[in-house]
Every structure is written in C-alpha cells, then in structure tokens.
Amino acid sequence: EAGVAQSPRYKIIEKRQSVAFWCNPISGHATLYWYQQILGQGPKLLIQFQNNGVVDDSQLPKDRFSAERLKGVDSTLKIQPAKLEDSAVYLCASSLLAGSPYEQYFGPGTRLTVT
Amino acid sequence: AQKVTQAQTEISVVEKEDVTLDCVYETRDTTYYLFWYKQPPSGELVFLIRRNSFDEQNEISGRYSWNFQKSTSSFNFTITASQVVDSAVYFCTYGGGSEKLVFGKGTKLTVNP
C-alpha cells in the first residue's frame, strides 16, 4: 500500500514570496492533516480536513496560509507571503477513520527555508 | 488545555543498553488516547502505539514495551537491548475528545555502536 506522498521535499524561497505544498493521502483515508514542525519541536496541527470539509483550522495563520482539499483526496497548502518564521517542515498525515484520535500516517514532509 | 511533557531532551546510550523514555501528560478528559511516534533522521513520523485511557495494561512488542499509569499520568516507553537503528526522535502524543493530536517536544535518542 502506498504511503502519504508529499512534494516538493525541499523548498528555498525569499521572504514575501509564495509557496505551495502538495499532499496525496493514503487511498481511502477520509481525514487529512497538515502540520508545521519547527526545528526542535513536535508537530503542530495547522488544519484538518474530513473529506473536503474543514474540521479544525484554529491554528492556521489565515492571513497568510490557506489550504484546500478539492474532491476530498489530495490537498494543497499555500503560504503567501512567506515570513522568516515560516521556515519549518510541513508534514501531511492521513487517517482512515474519523470521530476519535486514531493513528495517523505521515508523509516525508516538505522542508521549507525562508531567507 | 492538554499538555504532554517529555522531560528528557536528549539521551545517549551504547548499543544493547536498555533505555526508558519518559512521558507525563495533563488532562481533564475522562476518555483520551496516548500515542508514541518515532521520527528517524529521514524525517517521516512512524506510528508505534496507541492506548486508550481505559486500558492500563502494559504492552510489549518485540524489544519495545510501554508502561501506562493513570495514577501518575505517565506513559513511558522502554527499548530493551537498544540498537543503532533505534536512533531517532521519539514523540509522546495525546489525543482527547477531538481528533486533534498534541505532541510533546520529543526525546532525541542516540544509540552508539
């Protein structure tokens, strides 16, 4: 079974530029999550989708971050404009079931460096 | 708000030593779940175990074992006879009423040959 796919793996941009990350969850997984992991810290949830609807985006900086999950499958996370403090690894995860904290399966992440 | 504390930032052991990673959590939920995830140098988080708050039985899986004690709000993880491949950052994680996971800051384990 294929795992969670993410691209690109690495991205370097200058501050105030825009960037987009893509995620394709495990086939059949209805729930998709985007996390931000700053160096030396645990992942922090940015947004959670159930199919193509948003369940939780309380920690998403909506003035610059946006995410969508059209058709309830793959998802895109965008940052516009980027700030230096956005340098982090952006992790996508998916889980099969909803309604309870079930195990989540993570992709390899996208390492973003903002200069 | 729920909180997960992993007091050990870094641990270094020699291969074949046993090592225990500590995790303490704070919650007012009556039903909750605890997880451990492993993040090797490649960066991908790997699910290791999920326990719910009603099941305090210890669990063993090969060289891995977990000790869940509600009385002390702890969910510790022991690796027996550590190997170099166990080198990674380990995250203790809490899941409460919502599906949201709260991660600790992680413990970096280095196993030296």
Side-chain angles (χ1 to χ4, degrees):
Chain A
E1 180 182 80
V4 177
Q6 288 188 249
S7 66
R9 292 295 312 276
Y10 305 91
K11 191 74 178 180
I12 301 174
I13 62 172
E14 294 182 353
K15 59 183 179 184
R16 290 188 290 273
Q17 285 187 326
S18 303
V19 63
F21 313 128
W22 175 83
C23 170
N24 192 32
I26 292 173
S27 177
H29 281 199
T31 310
L32 184 147
Y33 312 80
W34 282 103
Y35 289 86
Q36 180 193 58
Q37 185 177 19
I38 293 173
L39 187 64
Q41 298 183 20
K44 181 185 83 172
L45 180 69
L46 292 175
I47 189 167
Q48 175 187 341
F49 291 95
Q50 179 67 28
N51 297 309
N52 60 350
V54 175
V55 174
D56 184 346
D57 63 356
S58 57
Q59 298 191 98
L60 186 74
K62 297 180 186 66
D63 57 333
R64 299 183 300 105
F65 286 64
S66 64
E68 60 182 13
R69 190 184 184 197
L70 301 176
K71 301 181 182 177
V73 181
D74 56 351
S75 176
T76 303
L77 176 70
K78 296 179 182 177
I79 307 176
Q80 180 180 7
K83 292 185 176 180
L84 294 177
E85 58 260 37
D86 298 332
S87 293
V89 176
Y90 291 85
L91 295 162
C92 180
S94 68
S95 66
L96 177 61
L97 299 172
S100 185
Y102 292 100
E103 52 265 36
Q104 298 176 16
Y105 296 88
F106 286 79
T110 297
R111 184 177 297 275
L112 173 67
T113 303
V114 182
T115 62
Chain B
Q2 296 82 13
K3 187 176 173 182
V4 176
T5 302
Q6 295 180 254
Q8 305 149 308
T9 305
E10 293 194 40
I11 300 175
S12 182
V13 299
V14 177
E15 207 169 17
K16 296 184 183 174
E17 282 186 27
D18 298 346
V19 57
T20 295
L21 309 182
D22 297 332
C23 173
V24 174
Y25 61 93
E26 295 177 29
T27 184
R28 293 184 179 180
D29 294 331
T30 52
T31 301
Y32 53 89
Y33 296 81
L34 296 165
F35 303 75
W36 277 94
Y37 281 86
K38 173 183 180 180
Q39 189 171 42
S42 61
E44 193 163 331
L45 279 153
V46 178
F47 165 79
L48 295 178
I49 188 171
R50 179 182 85 139
R51 301 307 301 269
N52 73 51
S53 52
F54 297 107
D55 183 2
E56 286 191 74
Q57 276 193 334
N58 291 337
E59 179 146 346
I60 298 175
S61 176
R63 296 184 297 107
Y64 295 171
S65 62
W66 291 270
N67 180 256
F68 176 28
Q69 291 195 337
K70 284 179 75 172
S71 60
T72 55
S73 296
S74 65
F75 186 42
N76 297 337
F77 173 29
T78 297
I79 301 175
T80 303
S82 59
Q83 299 176 1
V84 174
V85 293
D86 296 326
S87 295
V89 180
Y90 291 85
F91 290 96
C92 181
T93 307
Y94 175 96
S98 71
E99 297 159 52
K100 189 160 134 179
L101 295 184
V102 176
F103 286 79
K105 291 190 174 180
T107 297
K108 182 178 181 181
L109 172 66
T110 301
V111 181
N112 298 297

